[in-house]
Amino acid sequence: MATVIDGKNLSEEIRAEIRKEVEELGGAHPCLAAVLVGDDPASAVYVRNKRRACEATGLESIQINLPAETTQTELLQQVAHLNQDPKVNGILVQLPLPRSIDPARIASAILPEKDVDGLHPLNAGRLLANEPGLYPCTPVACIEIMDRHGFQIEGKRAVVIGRSEIVGKPIALLLLHRNATVTICHSRTQQLPEIVREADIVIAAIGQPRFVKGDWIKPGAAVIDVGINRIDKKLVGDVDFDVAVERAGLITPVPGGVGPLTITMLLRNTLRAFKQQSESRKP
Ligand code: NDP
């Protein structure tokens, strides 16, 4: 029977560390600006949760609501304004954006030192080169879960299912930099069950409910389920949890696994961005 990760608890533990670090700043409050375009209810909930998490850890947050008809040029102007605002340390543009706006264009307009989602090409390049930078939150959360539970990554065989820019690819790079042997799988991968059966670490970032079957899991493996899928108003992950939990050594549930940690990594990135900006302003 696997150790089931309590993402909320772990998240609280890390948030307490962040809160303490903020208190040590002597009255300064790192500030996250969240931009919400349109009226997608799920996005509004995500932004609200992120702002609440900021408040709870002593970070400041501001929210900019723009109408669904906002053009790419208008959004770029808003980003430029936040880039110039010395009070704002981190900028987050909530995805998805309306179809007429190219998310990659917006990500590259955010100053790399304020890019707390880690989506700017410069930060992506830093991650590729294993140099310090702001890295995407969900991938960092996956590594944090294994580290905080003493699961050794080095030398292990890791299988990442999913190759998106936001989740799959950055997780694969982080695992590689930690000396895992990494296989990246996707929708054209053949014999996926056989590949997963060899994995000591399975990261599922697909977006298909219970796609990874329990009997694919190697006994003792770490199973990190990034997927969030809605079935009959219930949230389920990409892994068939009920069977996988019997075989894995460590497993994250959905909800309550990676999700809460992702927001916490955003807070940590905002704090880091603040510290780096303060450092670079010193004469
Ligand atoms: P994308 O849709 O961008 O990517 C999905 C990936 O899964 C693609 O690379 C795709 O392959 C692959 N895939 C799809 N079907 C299959 C299949 N049948 N077999 C193997 N691979 C397949 O999703 P994201 O990466 O943005 O997100 C993945 C999941 O994680 C979603 O459920 C999302 O909601 C969740 N998520 C959770 C977060 C959290 O905080 N917990 C944060 C971000 C995302 P191909 O490239 O070939 O199309």
Side-chain angles (χ1 to χ4, degrees):
M1 188 81 172
T3 300
V4 179
I5 303 299
D6 184 338
K8 249 184 126 185
N9 229 347
L10 186 55
S11 187
E12 275 311 317
E13 191 183 306
I14 303 172
R15 285 182 195 188
E17 294 166 11
I18 295 172
R19 205 175 299 122
K20 187 160 171 283
E21 269 190 65
V22 172
E23 281 162 15
E24 286 164 3
L25 295 175
H29 296 280
C31 175
L32 174 72
V35 183
L36 182 59
V37 186
D39 42 23
D40 175 44
S43 293
V45 171
Y46 287 141
V47 168
R48 194 178 65 212
N49 289 344
K50 287 168 187 176
R51 294 198 67 198
R52 279 186 184 158
C54 280
E55 272 166 38
T57 41
L59 303 183
E60 212 170 292
S61 74
I62 55 175
Q63 181 170 341
I64 292 110
N65 292 315
L66 299 174
E69 315 75 67
T70 303
T71 63
Q72 180 163 292
T73 308
E74 285 164 344
L75 182 54
L76 286 170
Q77 281 164 354
Q78 182 62 64
V79 168
H81 176 72
L82 295 171
N83 279 343
Q84 282 160 14
D85 186 342
K87 210 175 83 65
V88 171
N89 306 109
I91 302 170
L92 154 91
V93 179
Q94 183 64 44
L95 300 176
L97 289 168
R99 274 162 191 263
S100 57
I101 301 179
D102 174 12
R105 179 76 187 82
I106 302 303
S108 29
I110 295 173
L111 271 183
E113 55 267 37
K114 295 191 179 187
D115 168 40
V116 283
D117 261 342
L119 300 177
H120 189 283
L122 189 70
N123 282 319
R126 285 173 175 152
L127 173 57
L128 185 72
N130 198 14
E131 285 173 9
L134 292 168
Y135 297 165
C137 302
T138 302
V140 174
C142 296
I143 301 290
E144 195 77 32
I145 286 169
M146 286 185 275
D147 281 349
R148 298 233 173 198
H149 285 79
F151 190 93
Q152 197 203 321
I153 297 172
E154 177 156 335
K156 296 285 169 63
R157 191 172 271 240
V159 169
V160 180
I161 319 173
R163 55 174 166 179
S164 70
E165 307 297 326
I166 299 179
V167 192
K169 279 186 205 168
I171 291 181
L173 285 168
L174 288 171
L175 288 164
L176 184 65
H177 297 328
R178 295 291 297 274
N179 298 318
T181 301
V182 185
T183 304
I184 306 174
C185 301
H186 44 77
S187 65
R188 317 287 169 87
T189 298
Q190 294 181 3
Q191 281 143 2
L192 182 64
E194 281 71 19
I195 297 171
V196 175
R197 281 192 178 104
E198 296 204 338
D200 305 302
I201 299 169
V202 181
I203 314 275
I206 313 163
Q208 296 205 26
R210 304 190 186 110
F211 181 86
V212 176
K213 302 300 167 223
D215 67 356
W216 299 2
I217 303 300
K218 181 176 167 180
V223 179
I224 311 288
D225 191 350
V226 178
I228 301 176
N229 311 286
R230 215 169 279 272
I231 298 185
D232 303 330
K233 293 187 181 167
K234 200 178 148 214
L235 290 185
V236 300
D238 287 346
V239 176
D240 184 5
F241 181 89
D242 292 346
V243 185
V245 71
E246 301 291 339
R247 295 172 67 92
L250 172 163
I251 190 166
T252 62
V254 177
V258 177
L261 259 294
T262 292
I263 298 187
T264 302
M265 296 303 112
L266 177 74
L267 306 176
R268 201 163 73 180
N269 270 354
T270 305
L271 175 59
R272 284 190 180 158
F274 169 88
K275 287 188 170 178
Q276 279 159 12
Q277 288 158 32
S278 309
E279 207 46 45
S280 65
R281 279 187 201 129
K282 280 187 185 159

PDB file of all heavy atoms in Angstrom, residues 165-193:
ATOM      1  N   GLU A 165       4.361  22.291 -23.014  1.00  0.00           N
ATOM      2  CA  GLU A 165       5.415  23.254 -22.615  1.00  0.00           C
ATOM      3  C   GLU A 165       5.296  23.581 -21.132  1.00  0.00           C
ATOM      4  O   GLU A 165       6.265  23.928 -20.483  1.00  0.00           O
ATOM      5  CB  GLU A 165       5.270  24.575 -23.391  1.00  0.00           C
ATOM      6  CG  GLU A 165       5.195  24.442 -24.904  1.00  0.00           C
ATOM      7  CD  GLU A 165       6.443  23.852 -25.497  1.00  0.00           C
ATOM      8  OE1 GLU A 165       7.530  24.103 -24.968  1.00  0.00           O
ATOM      9  OE2 GLU A 165       6.320  23.096 -26.486  1.00  0.00           O
ATOM     10  N   ILE A 166       4.058  23.506 -20.617  1.00  0.00           N
ATOM     11  CA  ILE A 166       3.800  23.952 -19.242  1.00  0.00           C
ATOM     12  C   ILE A 166       4.079  22.842 -18.240  1.00  0.00           C
ATOM     13  O   ILE A 166       4.551  23.100 -17.138  1.00  0.00           O
ATOM     14  CB  ILE A 166       2.327  24.433 -19.113  1.00  0.00           C
ATOM     15  CG1 ILE A 166       2.078  25.603 -20.045  1.00  0.00           C
ATOM     16  CG2 ILE A 166       1.990  24.804 -17.680  1.00  0.00           C
ATOM     17  CD1 ILE A 166       0.664  26.141 -20.031  1.00  0.00           C
ATOM     18  N   VAL A 167       3.790  21.607 -18.610  1.00  0.00           N
ATOM     19  CA  VAL A 167       3.922  20.523 -17.631  1.00  0.00           C
ATOM     20  C   VAL A 167       4.933  19.458 -18.081  1.00  0.00           C
ATOM     21  O   VAL A 167       6.015  19.317 -17.482  1.00  0.00           O
ATOM     22  CB  VAL A 167       2.550  19.865 -17.324  1.00  0.00           C
ATOM     23  CG1 VAL A 167       2.682  18.958 -16.111  1.00  0.00           C
ATOM     24  CG2 VAL A 167       1.463  20.884 -17.078  1.00  0.00           C
ATOM     25  N   GLY A 168       4.610  18.704 -19.120  1.00  0.00           N
ATOM     26  CA  GLY A 168       5.409  17.526 -19.478  1.00  0.00           C
ATOM     27  C   GLY A 168       6.887  17.807 -19.720  1.00  0.00           C
ATOM     28  O   GLY A 168       7.764  17.217 -19.082  1.00  0.00           O
ATOM     29  N   LYS A 169       7.180  18.741 -20.639  1.00  0.00           N
ATOM     30  CA  LYS A 169       8.590  18.996 -20.979  1.00  0.00           C
ATOM     31  C   LYS A 169       9.392  19.513 -19.788  1.00  0.00           C
ATOM     32  O   LYS A 169      10.479  19.007 -19.523  1.00  0.00           O
ATOM     33  CB  LYS A 169       8.681  19.975 -22.156  1.00  0.00           C
ATOM     34  CG  LYS A 169       8.468  19.324 -23.498  1.00  0.00           C
ATOM     35  CD  LYS A 169       8.714  20.332 -24.604  1.00  0.00           C
ATOM     36  CE  LYS A 169       7.968  19.948 -25.849  1.00  0.00           C
ATOM     37  NZ  LYS A 169       7.953  21.032 -26.839  1.00  0.00           N
ATOM     38  N   PRO A 170       8.883  20.534 -19.064  1.00  0.00           N
ATOM     39  CA  PRO A 170       9.695  20.990 -17.920  1.00  0.00           C
ATOM     40  C   PRO A 170       9.894  19.920 -16.844  1.00  0.00           C
ATOM     41  O   PRO A 170      10.966  19.855 -16.249  1.00  0.00           O
ATOM     42  CB  PRO A 170       8.922  22.187 -17.359  1.00  0.00           C
ATOM     43  CG  PRO A 170       7.737  22.400 -18.212  1.00  0.00           C
ATOM     44  CD  PRO A 170       7.754  21.442 -19.343  1.00  0.00           C
ATOM     45  N   ILE A 171       8.903  19.070 -16.612  1.00  0.00           N
ATOM     46  CA  ILE A 171       9.101  18.011 -15.612  1.00  0.00           C
ATOM     47  C   ILE A 171      10.218  17.080 -16.077  1.00  0.00           C
ATOM     48  O   ILE A 171      11.093  16.692 -15.298  1.00  0.00           O
ATOM     49  CB  ILE A 171       7.817  17.171 -15.391  1.00  0.00           C
ATOM     50  CG1 ILE A 171       6.751  17.995 -14.709  1.00  0.00           C
ATOM     51  CG2 ILE A 171       8.119  15.923 -14.561  1.00  0.00           C
ATOM     52  CD1 ILE A 171       5.475  17.249 -14.427  1.00  0.00           C
ATOM     53  N   ALA A 172      10.185  16.730 -17.373  1.00  0.00           N
ATOM     54  CA  ALA A 172      11.208  15.822 -17.900  1.00  0.00           C
ATOM     55  C   ALA A 172      12.602  16.431 -17.698  1.00  0.00           C
ATOM     56  O   ALA A 172      13.543  15.738 -17.305  1.00  0.00           O
ATOM     57  CB  ALA A 172      10.929  15.544 -19.372  1.00  0.00           C
ATOM     58  N   LEU A 173      12.725  17.737 -17.942  1.00  0.00           N
ATOM     59  CA  LEU A 173      14.035  18.394 -17.776  1.00  0.00           C
ATOM     60  C   LEU A 173      14.473  18.399 -16.312  1.00  0.00           C
ATOM     61  O   LEU A 173      15.637  18.129 -16.001  1.00  0.00           O
ATOM     62  CB  LEU A 173      13.970  19.835 -18.307  1.00  0.00           C
ATOM     63  CG  LEU A 173      13.969  19.955 -19.832  1.00  0.00           C
ATOM     64  CD1 LEU A 173      13.618  21.366 -20.250  1.00  0.00           C
ATOM     65  CD2 LEU A 173      15.332  19.555 -20.396  1.00  0.00           C
ATOM     66  N   LEU A 174      13.531  18.717 -15.422  1.00  0.00           N
ATOM     67  CA  LEU A 174      13.883  18.747 -13.986  1.00  0.00           C
ATOM     68  C   LEU A 174      14.359  17.370 -13.528  1.00  0.00           C
ATOM     69  O   LEU A 174      15.328  17.247 -12.782  1.00  0.00           O
ATOM     70  CB  LEU A 174      12.682  19.199 -13.139  1.00  0.00           C
ATOM     71  CG  LEU A 174      12.311  20.685 -13.249  1.00  0.00           C
ATOM     72  CD1 LEU A 174      10.979  20.934 -12.551  1.00  0.00           C
ATOM     73  CD2 LEU A 174      13.392  21.573 -12.647  1.00  0.00           C
ATOM     74  N   LEU A 175      13.676  16.325 -14.003  1.00  0.00           N
ATOM     75  CA  LEU A 175      14.072  14.963 -13.622  1.00  0.00           C
ATOM     76  C   LEU A 175      15.449  14.623 -14.194  1.00  0.00           C
ATOM     77  O   LEU A 175      16.281  14.010 -13.531  1.00  0.00           O
ATOM     78  CB  LEU A 175      13.026  13.960 -14.121  1.00  0.00           C
ATOM     79  CG  LEU A 175      11.686  13.974 -13.373  1.00  0.00           C
ATOM     80  CD1 LEU A 175      10.617  13.245 -14.174  1.00  0.00           C
ATOM     81  CD2 LEU A 175      11.832  13.333 -11.993  1.00  0.00           C
ATOM     82  N   LEU A 176      15.679  15.052 -15.420  1.00  0.00           N
ATOM     83  CA  LEU A 176      16.978  14.802 -16.063  1.00  0.00           C
ATOM     84  C   LEU A 176      18.098  15.488 -15.288  1.00  0.00           C
ATOM     85  O   LEU A 176      19.151  14.902 -15.035  1.00  0.00           O
ATOM     86  CB  LEU A 176      16.924  15.317 -17.507  1.00  0.00           C
ATOM     87  CG  LEU A 176      18.147  15.060 -18.372  1.00  0.00           C
ATOM     88  CD1 LEU A 176      18.341  13.563 -18.585  1.00  0.00           C
ATOM     89  CD2 LEU A 176      17.986  15.759 -19.722  1.00  0.00           C
ATOM     90  N   HIS A 177      17.839  16.740 -14.868  1.00  0.00           N
ATOM     91  CA  HIS A 177      18.869  17.472 -14.115  1.00  0.00           C
ATOM     92  C   HIS A 177      19.121  16.830 -12.756  1.00  0.00           C
ATOM     93  O   HIS A 177      20.166  17.068 -12.151  1.00  0.00           O
ATOM     94  CB  HIS A 177      18.459  18.939 -13.930  1.00  0.00           C
ATOM     95  CG  HIS A 177      18.331  19.685 -15.238  1.00  0.00           C
ATOM     96  ND1 HIS A 177      19.097  19.412 -16.334  1.00  0.00           N
ATOM     97  CD2 HIS A 177      17.505  20.698 -15.620  1.00  0.00           C
ATOM     98  CE1 HIS A 177      18.754  20.211 -17.330  1.00  0.00           C
ATOM     99  NE2 HIS A 177      17.785  20.991 -16.934  1.00  0.00           N
ATOM    100  N   ARG A 178      18.142  16.057 -12.295  1.00  0.00           N
ATOM    101  CA  ARG A 178      18.341  15.339 -11.022  1.00  0.00           C
ATOM    102  C   ARG A 178      18.868  13.920 -11.275  1.00  0.00           C
ATOM    103  O   ARG A 178      18.817  13.063 -10.417  1.00  0.00           O
ATOM    104  CB  ARG A 178      17.012  15.293 -10.254  1.00  0.00           C
ATOM    105  CG  ARG A 178      16.515  16.665  -9.817  1.00  0.00           C
ATOM    106  CD  ARG A 178      17.388  17.268  -8.734  1.00  0.00           C
ATOM    107  NE  ARG A 178      17.344  16.446  -7.574  1.00  0.00           N
ATOM    108  CZ  ARG A 178      16.399  16.530  -6.614  1.00  0.00           C
ATOM    109  NH1 ARG A 178      15.492  17.482  -6.680  1.00  0.00           N
ATOM    110  NH2 ARG A 178      16.405  15.715  -5.605  1.00  0.00           N
ATOM    111  N   ASN A 179      19.374  13.708 -12.486  1.00  0.00           N
ATOM    112  CA  ASN A 179      20.030  12.439 -12.856  1.00  0.00           C
ATOM    113  C   ASN A 179      19.112  11.222 -12.891  1.00  0.00           C
ATOM    114  O   ASN A 179      19.545  10.100 -12.621  1.00  0.00           O
ATOM    115  CB  ASN A 179      21.233  12.162 -11.947  1.00  0.00           C
ATOM    116  CG  ASN A 179      22.278  13.248 -12.090  1.00  0.00           C
ATOM    117  OD1 ASN A 179      22.559  13.682 -13.200  1.00  0.00           O
ATOM    118  ND2 ASN A 179      22.823  13.703 -10.982  1.00  0.00           N
ATOM    119  N   ALA A 180      17.844  11.451 -13.230  1.00  0.00           N
ATOM    120  CA  ALA A 180      16.971  10.316 -13.550  1.00  0.00           C
ATOM    121  C   ALA A 180      17.192   9.963 -15.026  1.00  0.00           C
ATOM    122  O   ALA A 180      17.726  10.776 -15.792  1.00  0.00           O
ATOM    123  CB  ALA A 180      15.515  10.690 -13.318  1.00  0.00           C
ATOM    124  N   THR A 181      16.804   8.755 -15.404  1.00  0.00           N
ATOM    125  CA  THR A 181      16.825   8.368 -16.824  1.00  0.00           C
ATOM    126  C   THR A 181      15.396   8.545 -17.320  1.00  0.00           C
ATOM    127  O   THR A 181      14.486   7.867 -16.840  1.00  0.00           O
ATOM    128  CB  THR A 181      17.282   6.901 -16.958  1.00  0.00           C
ATOM    129  OG1 THR A 181      18.580   6.811 -16.379  1.00  0.00           O
ATOM    130  CG2 THR A 181      17.310   6.455 -18.399  1.00  0.00           C
ATOM    131  N   VAL A 182      15.213   9.501 -18.222  1.00  0.00           N
ATOM    132  CA  VAL A 182      13.851   9.976 -18.503  1.00  0.00           C
ATOM    133  C   VAL A 182      13.343   9.542 -19.884  1.00  0.00           C
ATOM    134  O   VAL A 182      14.032   9.698 -20.888  1.00  0.00           O
ATOM    135  CB  VAL A 182      13.801  11.522 -18.416  1.00  0.00           C
ATOM    136  CG1 VAL A 182      12.373  12.021 -18.592  1.00  0.00           C
ATOM    137  CG2 VAL A 182      14.378  12.020 -17.092  1.00  0.00           C
ATOM    138  N   THR A 183      12.137   9.032 -19.900  1.00  0.00           N
ATOM    139  CA  THR A 183      11.435   8.743 -21.161  1.00  0.00           C
ATOM    140  C   THR A 183      10.209   9.644 -21.223  1.00  0.00           C
ATOM    141  O   THR A 183       9.449   9.714 -20.243  1.00  0.00           O
ATOM    142  CB  THR A 183      10.964   7.264 -21.191  1.00  0.00           C
ATOM    143  OG1 THR A 183      12.103   6.434 -20.993  1.00  0.00           O
ATOM    144  CG2 THR A 183      10.297   6.913 -22.506  1.00  0.00           C
ATOM    145  N   ILE A 184      10.048  10.345 -22.338  1.00  0.00           N
ATOM    146  CA  ILE A 184       8.864  11.208 -22.501  1.00  0.00           C
ATOM    147  C   ILE A 184       7.886  10.506 -23.451  1.00  0.00           C
ATOM    148  O   ILE A 184       8.255  10.153 -24.568  1.00  0.00           O
ATOM    149  CB  ILE A 184       9.251  12.587 -23.082  1.00  0.00           C
ATOM    150  CG1 ILE A 184      10.342  13.246 -22.226  1.00  0.00           C
ATOM    151  CG2 ILE A 184       8.020  13.494 -23.181  1.00  0.00           C
ATOM    152  CD1 ILE A 184      10.888  14.536 -22.814  1.00  0.00           C
ATOM    153  N   CYS A 185       6.664  10.324 -22.992  1.00  0.00           N
ATOM    154  CA  CYS A 185       5.645   9.663 -23.815  1.00  0.00           C
ATOM    155  C   CYS A 185       4.542  10.655 -24.196  1.00  0.00           C
ATOM    156  O   CYS A 185       4.367  11.673 -23.527  1.00  0.00           O
ATOM    157  CB  CYS A 185       5.024   8.504 -23.044  1.00  0.00           C
ATOM    158  SG  CYS A 185       6.238   7.283 -22.544  1.00  0.00           S
ATOM    159  N   HIS A 186       3.816  10.343 -25.243  1.00  0.00           N
ATOM    160  CA  HIS A 186       2.775  11.252 -25.747  1.00  0.00           C
ATOM    161  C   HIS A 186       1.748  10.441 -26.524  1.00  0.00           C
ATOM    162  O   HIS A 186       1.793   9.196 -26.477  1.00  0.00           O
ATOM    163  CB  HIS A 186       3.421  12.346 -26.615  1.00  0.00           C
ATOM    164  CG  HIS A 186       4.447  11.807 -27.550  1.00  0.00           C
ATOM    165  ND1 HIS A 186       4.099  11.157 -28.693  1.00  0.00           N
ATOM    166  CD2 HIS A 186       5.801  11.745 -27.444  1.00  0.00           C
ATOM    167  CE1 HIS A 186       5.201  10.749 -29.302  1.00  0.00           C
ATOM    168  NE2 HIS A 186       6.254  11.085 -28.558  1.00  0.00           N
ATOM    169  N   SER A 187       0.875  11.143 -27.253  1.00  0.00           N
ATOM    170  CA  SER A 187      -0.252  10.428 -27.870  1.00  0.00           C
ATOM    171  C   SER A 187       0.176   9.464 -28.975  1.00  0.00           C
ATOM    172  O   SER A 187      -0.591   8.594 -29.367  1.00  0.00           O
ATOM    173  CB  SER A 187      -1.270  11.428 -28.403  1.00  0.00           C
ATOM    174  OG  SER A 187      -0.702  12.180 -29.446  1.00  0.00           O
ATOM    175  N   ARG A 188       1.380   9.618 -29.501  1.00  0.00           N
ATOM    176  CA  ARG A 188       1.837   8.699 -30.570  1.00  0.00           C
ATOM    177  C   ARG A 188       2.753   7.597 -30.033  1.00  0.00           C
ATOM    178  O   ARG A 188       3.284   6.811 -30.807  1.00  0.00           O
ATOM    179  CB  ARG A 188       2.604   9.462 -31.661  1.00  0.00           C
ATOM    180  CG  ARG A 188       1.997  10.772 -32.090  1.00  0.00           C
ATOM    181  CD  ARG A 188       0.740  10.550 -32.934  1.00  0.00           C
ATOM    182  NE  ARG A 188       0.052  11.821 -33.099  1.00  0.00           N
ATOM    183  CZ  ARG A 188       0.309  12.696 -34.054  1.00  0.00           C
ATOM    184  NH1 ARG A 188       1.238  12.455 -34.933  1.00  0.00           N
ATOM    185  NH2 ARG A 188      -0.351  13.828 -34.108  1.00  0.00           N
ATOM    186  N   THR A 189       2.957   7.571 -28.732  1.00  0.00           N
ATOM    187  CA  THR A 189       3.824   6.543 -28.154  1.00  0.00           C
ATOM    188  C   THR A 189       3.190   5.166 -28.317  1.00  0.00           C
ATOM    189  O   THR A 189       1.999   5.001 -28.079  1.00  0.00           O
ATOM    190  CB  THR A 189       4.036   6.837 -26.650  1.00  0.00           C
ATOM    191  OG1 THR A 189       4.692   8.103 -26.537  1.00  0.00           O
ATOM    192  CG2 THR A 189       4.879   5.774 -25.974  1.00  0.00           C
ATOM    193  N   GLN A 190       4.015   4.209 -28.719  1.00  0.00           N
ATOM    194  CA  GLN A 190       3.514   2.840 -28.854  1.00  0.00           C
ATOM    195  C   GLN A 190       3.908   2.029 -27.618  1.00  0.00           C
ATOM    196  O   GLN A 190       4.940   2.284 -27.015  1.00  0.00           O
ATOM    197  CB  GLN A 190       4.093   2.204 -30.115  1.00  0.00           C
ATOM    198  CG  GLN A 190       3.565   2.912 -31.362  1.00  0.00           C
ATOM    199  CD  GLN A 190       4.068   2.319 -32.651  1.00  0.00           C
ATOM    200  OE1 GLN A 190       4.789   1.331 -32.669  1.00  0.00           O
ATOM    201  NE2 GLN A 190       3.670   2.932 -33.752  1.00  0.00           N
ATOM    202  N   GLN A 191       3.108   1.078 -27.295  1.00  0.00           N
ATOM    203  CA  GLN A 191       3.336   0.194 -26.137  1.00  0.00           C
ATOM    204  C   GLN A 191       3.561   0.960 -24.831  1.00  0.00           C
ATOM    205  O   GLN A 191       4.497   0.691 -24.081  1.00  0.00           O
ATOM    206  CB  GLN A 191       4.524  -0.728 -26.417  1.00  0.00           C
ATOM    207  CG  GLN A 191       4.112  -1.875 -27.302  1.00  0.00           C
ATOM    208  CD  GLN A 191       5.173  -2.293 -28.305  1.00  0.00           C
ATOM    209  OE1 GLN A 191       6.257  -1.743 -28.332  1.00  0.00           O
ATOM    210  NE2 GLN A 191       4.831  -3.243 -29.122  1.00  0.00           N
ATOM    211  N   LEU A 192       2.716   1.940 -24.612  1.00  0.00           N
ATOM    212  CA  LEU A 192       2.834   2.754 -23.391  1.00  0.00           C
ATOM    213  C   LEU A 192       2.802   1.905 -22.110  1.00  0.00           C
ATOM    214  O   LEU A 192       3.635   2.103 -21.224  1.00  0.00           O
ATOM    215  CB  LEU A 192       1.740   3.834 -23.389  1.00  0.00           C
ATOM    216  CG  LEU A 192       1.749   4.787 -22.213  1.00  0.00           C
ATOM    217  CD1 LEU A 192       3.026   5.624 -22.181  1.00  0.00           C
ATOM    218  CD2 LEU A 192       0.548   5.716 -22.258  1.00  0.00           C
ATOM    219  N   PRO A 193       1.860   0.926 -21.991  1.00  0.00           N
ATOM    220  CA  PRO A 193       1.833   0.156 -20.736  1.00  0.00           C
ATOM    221  C   PRO A 193       3.180  -0.503 -20.426  1.00  0.00           C
ATOM    222  O   PRO A 193       3.646  -0.479 -19.284  1.00  0.00           O
ATOM    223  CB  PRO A 193       0.751  -0.909 -20.988  1.00  0.00           C
ATOM    224  CG  PRO A 193      -0.106  -0.331 -22.059  1.00  0.00           C
ATOM    225  CD  PRO A 193       0.772   0.518 -22.908  1.00  0.00           C
TER     226      PRO A 193
END
